[in-house]
Amino acid sequence: MDSFSLAQYELFSKEILLADTCLLRFAGRLDFVPGQFVRLSLDHLGEIAVAPCSDPHDQDFFELCIRGAGSTSNEVIKALPGDHFGIRGPYGNGWPLNSLAGEDIVLIAGGLGLVPLRPAIIQIIRNRHKYGKVTLLFGAKTSGDILFLNDLITWRKKIDVEIAAEYLCRPSDKDFCTKGRITEPLDRLEINAKKTVALICGPEIMYKFCIDSLLQKGLAEDRIYASYERRMECGIGICQHCNIGKYMVCQDGPVFAYSRIKGELQK
Amino acid sequence: MEYIANKFQLEQLFARIHREYRVFGPQKVGRKLLLEEIDRFSQISFPVRKTKNTFKNIFFPINLNDQNRMGKIAFWGLPLCDAYALEIFLKEFSGKELVPERRDVLIVAAQCCPDEYCACQSFSIGASQPFDLYLQKEKDSFIIFTAKEMANKLLKETEFKQVGKKYQIEPVDLGKKPLDKKELSKAVGDKVLFEEYWQRIANNCFGCSSCSAVCPLCFCFHQKCQNQPDGSAKVSLESDSCFKRSFSEIQHQFSLREKNMDRLYNWYHHKFVRHFEKNTEILCTGCGRCIEACPAHLNQLNIVSSLIKEEEKNG
């Protein structure tokens, strides 16, 4: 078995979340930690890196949320139940959930960034008593682009959820989201800097503003964790496509403490 | 241990190796000296010269559908710089089942004839004995140095005469001072301090990726899928270069290294910082191919050695 060997999984249901985004549910067990990623392969086209977004405790199935952005992902979302896919992984390190017991948690997700955070949120909600105050801030381009809206509404019962969208599609969308960027609810948020940990995932442009805002609130750099997107090709740390300075995102990441990665981002 | 052999005995040794391994060695193709598969001893000339291509071109592209890619392979007549590079390469890919493991690769290094671009002395590569066998000419006969138990076994099998320990591998003297790897890594690692320096180099660099194409230790790759007429797909790993804009591209063709300076720096960073911090080895053995290949006449060795001087000046 070489490092590129694929395990075959059968797609057994598909849900269209947005016009270009699908939730694919595969039969079988995938042993992963929230925040890790897998490589989904279409052998005649290529591979894509995706983070599993279902409950890691599910024994019978796992879910992958895919947005059609390139040639491979556009082909993947055309798949129908019964199709088979090769998957290898999971790779990398996930969110440090085990070390967060007793802490307040701020989860910041932008757009598709909610995908790698979803299994973490499910795990946090399952062990809700272990954690302090948990807040999820979710930002989207428009109120029509909100992923997992039903989940967000359900999660509101257990954790604080704030949704911000830059544009509102309908006036009635005001009921569940506010107009503006994700940094606005973040700036308003009051946190206890000594016992709060922030987990961030989204487009990288968002990180700078969110991290600045968190640092201003007095949060230490080693209490901010962010998941970085890079061009992951091999997943085994040798192809060199996904480096950030001296770290390989596929092996050392994709989740990094900001204190660890800060000096490397310029290289 | 050292053994002595005449040309006839060496031919016997070659035949013995050829029975077990696919043998690659330097061979003249037209006007170029290339590393090609050889099946006759007469195809080998001595002392060896640096080939235009390297073992990288033998291993890549790695065809993932090919079940024989892990077969035994021998390299006959590699200069020390390439033998050392091969050791580093095999160590990096070890356990991944993409290329043969080190135990299935026989490295027969040989006394080389350095050219004007050679700089192996700057990286003091001889000390670690990166070979199984090393051939050195001594008047009309050859001295064979063995570094690994596997090689001793092979020579005993072919009944070679062992000689006393009076022979030593003749070091290559190019009149160059060895560079300190730690200092080198520290100097290259400080991008912010030497931003202007790197910009100056990048202004002269065409970003053509010739250096990474010829470098035996530029082993970055990308996955390529090709449709076959029978409906199946051929998946292979092909050499890639970090000088390409697409190398660091993510979604929507957004490149994380838009400027040539960033891509150029990343090349040096991988060779002298990233790999050194993980494996205490730098990815350069001073073969000088990049210096020879650069159309902009950049001298990569001078670039890093003057960076060390700059670092010393800054304290």
Side-chain angles (χ1 to χ4, degrees):
Chain A
M1 286 270 280
D2 64 60
S3 349
F4 286 79
S5 300
L6 302 160
Q8 294 295 323
Y9 291 94
E10 188 188 337
L11 177 67
F12 83 84
S13 78
K14 173 176 154 184
E15 189 184 329
I16 296 171
L17 298 178
L18 302 174
D20 56 354
T21 311
C22 287
L23 184 69
L24 307 180
R25 190 168 291 141
F26 293 89
R29 163 124 178 92
L30 184 75
D31 194 11
F32 71 98
V33 173
Q36 283 187 313
F37 70 94
V38 294
R39 301 275 300 165
L40 176 76
S41 165
L42 270 184
D43 53 6
H44 60 287
L45 262 177
E47 286 187 350
I48 48 170
V50 266
C53 62
S54 54
D55 185 348
H57 285 83
D58 279 334
Q59 298 294 323
D60 307 324
F61 68 91
F62 62 93
E63 292 168 340
L64 301 177
C65 177
I66 291 155
R67 174 167 291 174
S71 52
T72 310
S73 53
N74 267 316
E75 203 58 36
V76 171
I77 59 170
K78 285 183 199 158
L80 292 171
D83 288 354
H84 283 80
F85 284 93
I87 290 176
R88 59 188 176 92
Y91 297 112
N93 300 315
W95 303 105
L97 290 179
N98 292 336
S99 59
L100 300 187
E103 309 269 9
D104 289 353
I105 304 172
V106 179
L107 302 129
I108 305 168
L112 265 188
L114 186 59
V115 172
L117 277 173
R118 188 170 174 247
I121 299 167
I122 294 172
Q123 203 141 308
I124 289 170
I125 289 177
R126 180 181 302 111
N127 304 310
R128 186 67 191 86
H129 60 281
K130 279 193 189 168
Y131 307 98
K133 190 182 166 207
V134 181
T135 314
L136 167 66
L137 307 177
F138 176 66
K141 269 221 173 87
T142 73
S143 58
D145 291 332
I146 297 170
L147 277 175
F148 303 113
L149 184 58
N150 291 340
D151 284 349
L152 290 167
I153 292 167
T154 328
W155 293 339
R156 267 192 175 151
K157 292 174 193 158
K158 298 269 185 182
I159 60 174
D160 295 340
V161 178
E162 284 220 41
I163 306 170
E166 282 181 48
Y167 305 101
L168 296 184
C169 298
R170 290 176 296 269
S172 60
D173 289 349
K174 266 189 210 152
D175 300 346
F176 59 86
C177 76
T178 53
K179 189 173 183 295
R181 294 215 165 125
I182 193 164
T183 41
E184 289 165 25
L186 179 63
D187 289 338
R188 284 199 306 272
L189 188 74
E190 282 178 15
I191 58 166
N192 177 355
K194 284 199 176 136
K195 65 178 289 251
T196 301
V197 173
L199 311 179
I200 313 175
C201 190
E204 214 161 308
I205 186 88
M206 183 188 96
Y207 290 9
K208 190 189 172 305
F209 299 105
C210 291
I211 290 172
D212 280 352
S213 172
L214 290 165
L215 292 175
Q216 265 180 20
K217 289 177 195 293
L219 206 63
E221 284 174 354
D222 58 353
R223 286 182 159 268
I224 302 172
Y225 291 87
S227 177
Y228 285 84
E229 181 203 359
R230 286 293 181 273
R231 190 189 184 90
M232 265 114 36
E233 287 253 351
C234 71
I236 49 175
I238 46 174
C239 81
Q240 306 298 323
H241 281 265
C242 66
N243 79 298
I244 302 182
K246 62 183 177 186
Y247 298 117
M248 303 307 298
V249 173
C250 66
Q251 291 272 292
D252 307 315
V255 176
F256 289 96
Y258 183 60
S259 54
R260 189 171 174 221
I261 198 77
K262 192 178 81 169
E264 303 297 319
L265 285 168
Q266 305 300 320
K267 289 176 186 170
Chain B
M1 273 192 250
E2 295 93 53
Y3 297 82
I4 192 155
N6 57 29
K7 208 175 171 188
F8 177 69
Q9 284 172 312
L10 210 58
E11 201 170 337
Q12 271 186 326
L13 176 67
F14 177 83
R16 165 69 189 84
I17 294 171
H18 190 249
R19 271 207 302 276
E20 198 177 335
Y21 299 85
R22 274 178 80 197
V23 186
F24 289 85
Q27 206 185 332
K28 264 223 146 135
V29 179
R31 292 171 71 184
K32 283 181 188 163
L33 189 67
L34 297 178
L35 191 64
E36 294 272 314
E37 187 159 5
I38 43 175
D39 46 19
R40 283 197 313 276
F41 181 71
S42 58
Q43 289 169 305
I44 301 161
S45 62
F46 205 84
V48 292
R49 287 176 182 278
K50 209 163 52 187
T51 49
K52 286 278 172 210
N53 64 343
T54 62
F55 57 84
K56 183 174 87 170
N57 306 79
I58 311 287
F59 290 125
F60 281 105
I62 301 171
N63 183 355
L64 296 180
N65 307 52
D66 178 12
Q67 300 302 324
N68 299 325
R69 65 173 187 274
M70 303 291 290
K72 285 187 163 188
I73 189 169
F75 291 92
W76 180 284
L78 290 187
L80 268 183
C81 55
D82 282 355
Y84 192 34
L86 180 55
E87 281 247 10
I88 298 174
F89 178 88
L90 293 173
K91 213 186 274 178
E92 185 73 13
F93 279 75
S94 161
K96 314 278 195 284
E97 302 217 359
L98 297 174
V99 298
E101 290 292 325
R102 176 67 183 87
R103 60 175 179 274
D104 295 327
V105 179
L106 186 80
I107 306 175
V108 185
Q111 196 175 12
C112 66
C113 187
D115 61 24
E116 61 199 290
Y117 304 106
C118 282
C120 60
Q121 207 184 1
S122 305
F123 298 97
S124 41
I125 54 161
S128 67
Q129 298 203 320
F131 49 76
D132 297 304
L133 299 169
Y134 181 82
L135 310 177
Q136 189 168 287
K137 202 159 187 186
E138 194 70 35
K139 289 174 194 159
D140 284 340
S141 51
F142 293 89
I143 306 296
I144 309 173
F145 297 81
T146 59
K148 307 259 158 53
E149 199 39 51
M150 172 173 82
N152 277 327
K153 231 169 102 185
L154 201 76
L155 289 183
K156 273 178 194 152
E157 235 176 76
T158 17
E159 291 171 359
F160 275 88
K161 220 170 85 189
Q162 204 172 321
V163 290
K165 274 204 169 183
K166 57 180 177 178
Y167 292 103
Q168 293 245 318
I169 294 177
E170 279 172 25
V172 185
D173 189 11
L174 304 165
K176 283 176 182 159
K177 232 175 80 185
L179 297 171
D180 186 287
K181 288 180 187 177
K182 246 188 196 165
E183 268 179 31
L184 185 60
S185 172
K186 195 170 161 251
V188 178
D190 211 336
K191 187 188 181 188
V192 181
L193 187 65
F194 298 112
E195 188 122 23
E196 217 174 283
Y197 181 85
W198 288 114
Q199 189 56 61
R200 232 171 38 232
I201 308 287
N203 290 346
N204 293 305
C205 169
F206 301 156
C208 65
S209 77
S210 299
C211 47
S212 65
V214 294
C215 176
L217 285 172
C218 272
F219 47 70
C220 305
F221 59 82
H222 74 277
Q223 205 174 345
K224 191 177 173 189
C225 301
Q226 275 174 306
N227 286 330
Q228 298 295 302
D230 63 355
S232 66
K234 180 183 161 194
V235 184
S236 56
L237 306 178
E238 295 201 343
S239 269
D240 204 351
S241 169
C242 53
F243 280 93
K244 289 183 191 163
R245 191 188 170 278
S246 61
F247 189 85
S248 313
E249 244 174 31
I250 52 170
Q251 271 185 53
H252 306 296
Q253 273 89 49
F254 174 72
S255 178
L256 291 151
R257 294 195 181 88
E258 194 60 62
K259 288 189 289 178
N260 186 32
M261 195 267 256
D262 293 332
R263 299 197 284 266
L264 173 101
Y265 178 77
N266 182 47
W267 190 75
Y268 286 91
H269 187 272
H270 179 212
K271 291 199 168 303
F272 299 104
V273 187
R274 206 183 312 155
H275 200 268
F276 180 75
E277 289 198 10
K278 282 201 173 152
N279 305 307
T280 62
E281 288 289 356
I282 54 171
L283 290 181
C284 180
T285 56
C287 71
R289 286 186 179 89
C290 52
I291 304 173
E292 192 180 351
C294 184
H297 303 297
L298 291 176
N299 186 318
Q300 283 75 356
L301 181 72
N302 288 351
I303 289 172
V304 288
S305 42
S306 47
L307 202 60
I308 296 179
K309 280 179 204 152
E310 292 274 324
E311 172 94 355
E312 275 166 7
K313 258 191 236 167
N314 287 327

